[in-house]
Amino acid sequence: MTPSRVSSLSTRTTHPYVLKNTQELLAELGLSTRIHNPYTFKTKGEMFVECTNQTFIQSIFQNSVSCGKRGRKQNWEVKTGTQECGICMPCIYRRAALNKARLDNENHYGNFITRPNSRSYSTDLPALISYLKKDISLEKMKRDLLVNGNIEIDNLQQYANMVLRSKEEVLQLFREKGNIFVKSELGIR
């Protein structure tokens, strides 16, 4: 999104670089354990929708937290009874995933999708708008991933496609639920 929010700094997901280093550590320790992440090239929304046990995931997702600002509630709209700010990128990606699964009803924290009336609403909003407005080609995304992270060249196209699909999930959330200001800023109707 911006130079300060790239690669694993954008969300708290398990970055392929971390898994690769952990695998190398296990090998150096003489352990034969193999790490395999079947979700490497899936967006959060795809993982949710494609989960084979929908009954289970739908019964527990409310108990999970994605927030990157837990414990820093000074800028939260709702400061009590919640564990999520609703405005950081992990919260936005979570809502986009739940929206894809038609389960987004997360009004228990400040609603970053419908309440902003200026870019100063949140320090995260200008970066998000800038990122979402960019027309990023697959080739540009591949270059950005190479510059900003330790990505295996053999899987570069799959990673780039996944990031672009994830961006589209967030755009879809704003298309469906964004207020007039947000839609206007993003140039969507």
Side-chain angles (χ1 to χ4, degrees):
M1 291 187 338
T2 68
S4 66
R5 297 168 187 241
V6 293
S7 193
S8 59
L9 297 177
S10 183
T11 67
R12 296 182 333 178
T13 58
T14 304
H15 194 275
Y17 180 74
V18 173
L19 292 179
K20 178 181 170 255
N21 283 347
T22 303
Q23 184 66 65
E24 290 171 1
L25 174 64
L26 292 173
E28 285 182 34
L29 294 172
L31 300 172
S32 61
T33 303
R34 301 293 305 159
I35 297 174
H36 172 70
N37 181 359
Y39 307 110
T40 299
F41 305 114
K42 299 284 185 184
T43 68
K44 285 186 178 193
E46 291 166 351
M47 285 188 284
F48 200 104
V49 169
E50 295 172 17
C51 177
T52 58
N53 191 340
Q54 285 293 312
T55 302
F56 176 71
I57 198 168
Q58 290 180 24
S59 72
I60 65 155
F61 80 88
Q62 303 93 331
N63 299 323
S64 67
V65 177
S66 299
C67 187
K69 295 184 179 191
R70 293 180 72 190
R72 297 187 306 231
K73 295 185 177 186
Q74 65 271 19
N75 297 317
W76 292 24
E77 280 186 37
V78 179
K79 297 182 193 297
T80 59
T82 184
Q83 297 182 51
E84 300 171 280
C85 70
I87 61 174
C88 70
M89 285 313 302
C91 282
I92 296 299
Y93 282 121
R94 173 191 174 90
R95 286 205 56 196
L98 292 173
N99 187 61
K100 183 175 181 78
R102 299 290 171 234
L103 293 167
D104 175 43
N105 61 358
E106 298 210 25
N107 294 318
H108 61 278
Y109 51 71
N111 195 336
F112 189 59
I113 312 303
T114 60
R115 290 197 183 142
N117 57 8
S118 76
R119 284 183 177 231
S120 63
Y121 177 82
S122 157
T123 57
D124 294 294
L125 189 58
L128 176 62
I129 289 170
S130 175
Y131 170 67
L132 292 176
K133 284 179 75 169
K134 286 182 187 170
D135 184 21
I136 305 171
S137 70
L138 180 62
E139 291 307 311
K140 167 90 169 93
M141 182 54 70
K142 287 165 54 176
R143 284 191 306 274
D144 287 352
L145 289 174
L146 281 174
V147 168
N148 294 310
N150 295 303
I151 299 293
E152 298 172 11
I153 289 281
D154 293 345
N155 297 321
L156 183 58
Q157 183 147 336
Q158 289 174 284
Y159 284 118
N161 277 318
M162 183 269 302
V163 172
L164 292 173
R165 289 191 318 273
S166 184
K167 178 184 175 207
E168 182 55 36
E169 284 180 11
V170 175
L171 274 169
Q172 190 61 33
L173 171 67
F174 282 92
R175 277 187 205 105
E176 292 179 16
K177 298 187 175 173
N179 69 11
I180 292 170
F181 168 76
V182 172
K183 288 180 178 182
S184 169
E185 287 290 303
L186 292 172
I188 57 180
R189 297 180 199 278

